[in-house]
Amino acid sequence: MKFKLFNVLLFAVIFTGCATLSDRTVNVTEVQLQQKLNERLATPISLLKIFDVNLSNSIVKFDGKTGRMITRLDASLTSLLSDKALAGKLDISGKLRFDAATNSVVLDDPKVESLNLDGLDAKQGEFFNLLAQRLGGEMLNGLSLYTVKPEDLKLGSTQYNPKAMQITDSGLQITFSPVR
């Protein structure tokens, strides 16, 4: 009986040791990124000290073919020039990268695809779209979207570093390798 118990414990220790030496994968879903993005964008963005932009209700989709995250947001724009608020949709896309300094996934190379605000004529719509494209990418670049939990970076005494990150049609996969 003692011999069997010893073998079981020995096997468990060896198995645990082997498991800690293999790569680990963390999956981040669209819903998780939507929640974090909504939290990050809860504060209005000021543009040129003239416009305040409120972004909310993000809908995140991953495009495995292009490796980009595509996001549609509700947009509300107020201005010192008018007491009328404008509402519509903002579409952005961007690559994602892992920032090892902050252990987070950040938006990289963002591009404002379109800004459609209700109640604007063609010239006004074109002006706001151009403004959004020029300033939006610059303001959103480097935006932290998701911070990896400390327990995903360490198991027992083994520390893990990022190895690869891949966008799939169903989510974001981050692979970590043990530090040897």
Side-chain angles (χ1 to χ4, degrees):
M1 180 69 173
K2 287 182 182 181
F3 183 70
K4 283 185 181 182
L5 181 60
F6 175 75
N7 283 339
V8 169
L9 288 175
L10 180 63
F11 177 74
V13 168
I14 291 172
F15 182 72
T16 303
C18 291
T20 60
L21 297 178
S22 64
D23 288 350
R24 299 179 54 136
T25 300
V26 174
N27 294 302
V28 182
T29 66
E30 294 169 344
V31 171
Q32 288 172 305
L33 278 182
Q34 284 171 186
Q35 291 170 341
K36 294 297 182 183
L37 190 55
N38 287 335
E39 289 172 15
R40 298 283 300 155
L41 297 175
T43 304
I45 299 168
S46 181
L47 296 174
L48 305 173
K49 297 184 181 182
I50 298 172
F51 303 103
D52 284 329
V53 180
N54 289 298
L55 301 173
S56 60
N57 301 322
S58 64
I59 299 172
V60 172
K61 298 290 178 200
F62 292 114
D63 185 349
K65 292 178 185 169
T66 64
R68 291 179 76 84
M69 178 183 82
I70 301 163
T71 307
R72 173 165 269 203
L73 298 135
D74 288 341
S76 173
L77 181 90
T78 56
S79 170
L80 295 174
L81 305 175
S82 171
D83 55 352
K84 178 183 168 189
L86 299 171
K89 299 288 184 186
L90 174 70
D91 295 322
I92 60 172
S93 70
K95 294 179 181 179
L96 301 177
R97 71 175 167 81
F98 189 82
D99 181 40
T102 61
N103 293 327
S104 61
V105 175
V106 297
L107 186 60
D108 204 21
D109 189 29
K111 180 180 177 189
V112 173
E113 301 292 343
S114 66
L115 172 64
N116 297 305
L117 297 171
D118 301 331
L120 297 180
D121 64 32
K123 270 193 167 186
Q124 291 171 324
E126 192 176 305
F127 168 75
F128 281 110
N129 221 324
L130 183 62
L131 186 64
Q133 288 174 355
R134 300 253 178 188
L135 298 176
E138 188 177 300
M139 295 188 78
L140 296 172
N141 196 41
L143 180 69
S144 177
L145 300 174
Y146 181 85
T147 302
V148 176
K149 299 173 189 150
E151 58 266 22
D152 290 329
L153 297 171
K154 190 170 185 177
L155 182 63
S157 62
T158 305
Q159 185 71 34
Y160 287 81
N161 284 336
K163 175 181 176 183
M165 189 168 69
Q166 179 180 1
I167 290 179
T168 66
D169 289 333
S170 61
L172 177 65
Q173 292 180 338
I174 307 169
T175 303
F176 296 94
S177 293
V179 177
R180 300 187 195 271

